[in-house]
Amino acid sequence: MLPTRHSSRVRLAIMVLGAVCLCGAAKAQSAYQPSPENLTARREFQDMKFGMFIHWGVYSVLGDGEWVFHERHLSVDQYNRLPAFFDPQKFDAHTWVSLAKSAGMKYITITSRHHDGFAMFDSQVSDWNIVARTPYKKDPLKMLADECHRQGIKLFFYYSQLDWHNPDYYPRGSTNWPNGRPDHGDWNAYLNTYMNGQLTELLTHYGTIGGIWFDGMWDKPDADWQLEKTYALIHKLQPAALIIPNHHQTPKPGEDVQTFERDLPGQNTAGFNTKYVSAELPLEMSDTLNNSWGFNIGDSHYKSAAEVVRRLVRAAGNNSNLLMNIGPYPNGEIDPEFVSRLDAVGKWLSRYGDSIYGTRGGPIPPGDWGVTTQKADKVYVHVLHWGAPLLALSPVTGKVTAAESLNDGKKVDVTQSVNGLVIKLPPATSDETDRVIVLTVEKTS
Ligand code: H79
């Protein structure tokens, strides 16, 4: 109710204004209607389940991760010396894409430019790029895109909105340090000429791409990023391209996937992810095979293949993809420690992939014991951590008409009651990775 002291004319004006405001807000929320091809791409993205994240840039030369510019508080002039040492003569797109494929990965997301702003592709927007500044002089993203198209792997470009190099990234954000840039810059030029210019290149020179994976907006969460404009540009150039923002916030209009950095959706063990989990958008979690993103010569904390499988399974059980990172050497080779583990994961997937690819999170809530996934009339019970012979689970809708071990097809005893399911598990092997029990569930209507 409006206070009575307003005249009827004022009341009318307030009502009209209110209606306009509400409409405006509703319009901003609903302005983005994903195209049919975008919705298909989202479903296909969810079906893929497992991707390869690649952090590779001139920082790789120093073997100290992708934040080395910031960590060592180098000046722009000092960092400018780095591209001269980047000459990846051993880079072979076929080898990289084949590795992703043999690991059972269905997509690749590669750093087209990280926070150092250095474009790992041929860019006309600025000469701060691999073709203009390195002895290599070639565009590896072009070779990778062509090879991905040949081998049927989707390619996504990681793109850092944060830039430690360009003076127009101004005002600077929370990660800034005095590195020799002037204390002024043209933010609009940064967004519209530089960033949107490079995004246009990425979306027009490399054939069909999977989408853009944004990172770094958290550096200036309150800045006017003019996201609607950038997102509209991407969807105009390639309507099916997915926008995957790693801004650690609730999804915004125009975004197609919610991604979580080194965390299962909603868990926020990292401390900077949001706990909000979209019920509508595809989900993804990123992780690394050791503890670094870019090549780090001092990091030998490699996860075992079994551990990677368990993370993939936990992601799938949480209705999420897993984007698993490697940081190749500056010469273009991939550390054999990564290769051997990825090959082993691929072997596991060639046997158990039915319980992962094309699935969605299952009907039984995840727990310490494991997770479930589901596809058509199958529910896959993934037992990751359970020593006892009987496993009691909460009820599922529908009648369980068959149960077998995915490993050897042997029948498994399941008792179903209103209280739930009790599964008599086959014994665990000493090197248990994941015991998968396949339930056939007949829908009762
Ligand atoms: O590309 C990889 C990393 O280099 C990048 N994202 C992955 C995929 C990354 N940058 N930072 N982080 C990951 C960690 C995030 C730290 C943050 Fe913060 C904590 C962001 C916001 C709070 C530190 C403090 C940076 C800004 C404020």
Side-chain angles (χ1 to χ4, degrees):
M1 274 287 270
L2 286 166
T4 47
R5 66 176 180 277
H6 290 303
S7 73
S8 60
R9 202 184 289 167
V10 170
R11 269 211 301 271
L12 185 69
I14 290 173
M15 279 163 65
V16 169
L17 206 69
V20 168
C21 288
L22 277 175
C23 276
K27 204 169 157 218
Q29 289 301 313
S30 63
Y32 176 54
Q33 293 297 338
S35 62
E37 53 268 57
N38 187 283
L39 291 172
T40 303
R42 291 183 186 187
R43 281 192 295 276
E44 288 171 357
F45 182 81
Q46 287 181 296
D47 290 345
M48 295 195 290
K49 278 290 165 310
F50 193 27
M52 174 181 274
F53 210 175
I54 303 178
H55 276 68
W56 197 48
V58 290
Y59 45 77
S60 308
V61 169
L62 297 174
D64 200 9
E66 75 291 352
W67 272 58
V68 61
F69 190 6
H70 174 279
E71 295 292 301
R72 294 196 195 165
H73 280 200
L74 301 174
S75 69
V76 166
D77 283 348
Q78 289 169 329
Y79 200 82
N80 281 347
R81 302 161 76 187
L82 205 43
F85 303 100
F86 190 79
D87 192 11
Q89 291 300 330
K90 299 254 172 84
F91 168 70
D92 177 35
H94 179 75
T95 307
W96 284 23
V97 178
S98 303
L99 175 64
K101 229 178 160 163
S102 67
M105 291 158 153
K106 306 293 187 189
Y107 63 104
I108 291 176
T109 305
I110 185 164
T111 44
S112 70
R113 53 160 259 184
H114 204 264
H115 308 334
D116 62 1
F118 189 81
M120 292 292 287
F121 58 99
D122 188 7
S123 176
Q124 302 307 308
V125 173
S126 151
D127 72 347
W128 185 232
N129 73 70
I130 187 165
V131 177
R133 295 278 187 120
T134 73
Y136 189 59
K137 291 190 170 58
K138 286 180 278 191
D139 180 345
L141 298 197
K142 179 72 182 131
M143 294 180 248
L144 202 60
D146 291 347
E147 186 62 26
C148 280
H149 289 132
R150 269 195 288 276
Q151 295 204 37
I153 293 280
K154 280 242 163 73
L155 183 64
F156 292 75
F157 292 132
Y158 169 110
Y159 190 91
S160 171
Q161 293 155 300
L162 155 61
D163 193 316
W164 291 326
H165 190 270
N166 189 324
D168 284 334
Y169 184 82
Y170 192 88
R172 294 183 284 267
S174 63
T175 61
N176 97 90
W177 73 102
N179 67 7
R181 284 187 287 181
D183 285 331
H184 54 83
D186 184 345
W187 178 241
N188 274 318
Y190 174 76
L191 292 179
N192 293 303
T193 312
Y194 198 77
M195 191 176 82
N196 289 347
Q198 289 194 327
L199 289 169
T200 302
E201 291 174 330
L202 290 170
L203 284 143
T204 53
H205 297 170
Y206 299 88
T208 304
I209 63 160
I212 304 290
W213 206 99
F214 283 115
D215 198 7
M217 215 183 87
W218 38 258
D219 188 51
K220 293 208 285 183
D222 301 325
D224 179 11
W225 288 93
Q226 303 175 31
L227 291 178
E228 278 188 32
K229 202 165 164 186
T230 298
Y231 291 172
L233 171 74
I234 294 169
H235 286 137
K236 182 180 74 134
L237 293 171
Q238 293 203 27
L242 301 177
I243 294 173
I244 312 180
N246 184 34
H247 51 37
H248 311 152
Q249 298 173 31
T250 306
K252 301 169 191 305
E255 298 172 351
D256 302 307
V257 175
Q258 192 182 7
T259 197
F260 297 82
E261 182 171 330
R262 299 184 83 164
D263 248 324
L264 284 168
Q267 294 213 339
N268 191 23
T269 57
F272 50 73
N273 285 311
T274 175
K275 286 204 163 175
Y276 174 88
V277 180
S278 171
E280 182 198 343
L281 300 184
L283 307 174
E284 178 188 61
M285 72 168 282
S286 56
D287 210 337
T288 64
L289 251 179
N290 52 4
N291 286 339
S292 311
W293 300 98
F295 171 52
N296 185 338
I297 202 162
D299 182 357
S300 305
H301 299 283
Y302 304 104
K303 293 173 181 70
S304 67
E307 180 56 25
V308 176
V309 165
R310 286 190 285 262
R311 284 180 195 224
L312 173 62
V313 169
R314 285 219 180 263
N318 281 270
N319 203 31
S320 170
N321 287 13
L322 175 67
L323 180 62
M324 182 52 80
N325 180 76
I326 56 166
Y329 294 153
N331 70 356
E333 284 181 315
I334 295 173
D335 196 321
E337 300 281 2
F338 290 146
V339 174
S340 60
R341 283 157 177 85
L342 291 177
D343 281 343
V345 174
K347 282 208 182 68
W348 185 88
L349 273 165
S350 63
R351 191 156 175 184
Y352 293 94
D354 268 356
S355 68
I356 301 290
Y357 301 124
T359 64
R360 298 292 181 268
I364 296 166
D368 276 352
W369 60 272
V371 298
T372 56
T373 54
Q374 62 185 328
K375 182 166 56 180
D377 65 342
K378 301 287 188 242
V379 171
Y380 301 92
V381 179
H382 297 264
V383 184
L384 297 167
H385 184 64
W386 193 254
L390 296 180
L391 175 65
L393 297 173
S394 52
V396 293
T397 316
K399 187 172 160 30
V400 177
T401 56
E404 61 183 44
S405 165
L406 185 55
N407 181 29
D408 53 15
K410 284 197 181 133
K411 193 174 170 306
V412 170
D413 285 341
V414 176
T415 321
Q416 186 173 23
S417 73
V418 285
N419 298 322
L421 302 174
V422 176
I423 304 178
K424 188 164 182 295
L425 294 172
T429 52
S430 58
D431 59 344
E432 171 166 56
T433 306
D434 179 18
R435 267 175 293 174
V436 187
I437 314 300
V438 190
L439 309 178
T440 305
V441 183
E442 208 172 75
K443 287 273 168 278
T444 44
S445 48

